[in-house]
Amino acid sequence: MAERFDVAQALGDGAVDRAGVWGFVKAFSASWETPLSPGDGFTPAEIRSAEERLGLGLPAALREAYLLFGRRSDLIAGQNPLLGPDELLLDPSGRLLVFRSENQGCAG
């Protein structure tokens, strides 16, 4: 019998820094559907294009998530989907980056 992925244990064992968090995401992904693969993320050029369009650099964690698994709908689009780099926008004040959309479209 295959051992099941224990979320609590995986978080407790090492999701205390960036490397640990991304290690958790990789392990979770492999147990949820399929392991992450190079085609699951956006390219650095796609990220740069969004940053140039917005006139700002993306937060490191968001950039890393896009690069690692930004195209994996099973991981990013369940309830409140992660917007693609070409969909990112600033709120009306121009001070907040909108990177998720509430599933009924009422909030970002």
Side-chain angles (χ1 to χ4, degrees), residues 67-80:
L67 292 168
L68 186 61
F69 59 86
R71 295 183 189 278
R72 281 283 296 266
S73 62
D74 61 315
L75 299 175
I76 59 120
Q79 177 70 23
N80 301 319

Side-chain angles (χ1 to χ4, degrees), residues 34 36-47 62-77 82-87:
T34 56
L36 292 177
S37 67
D40 289 342
F42 288 96
T43 66
E46 289 170 304
I47 305 291
L62 183 59
R63 171 183 263 281
E64 292 168 6
Y66 277 133
L67 292 168
L68 186 61
F69 59 86
R71 295 183 189 278
R72 281 283 296 266
S73 62
D74 61 315
L75 299 175
I76 59 120
L82 182 68
L83 299 175
D86 61 331
E87 301 172 297

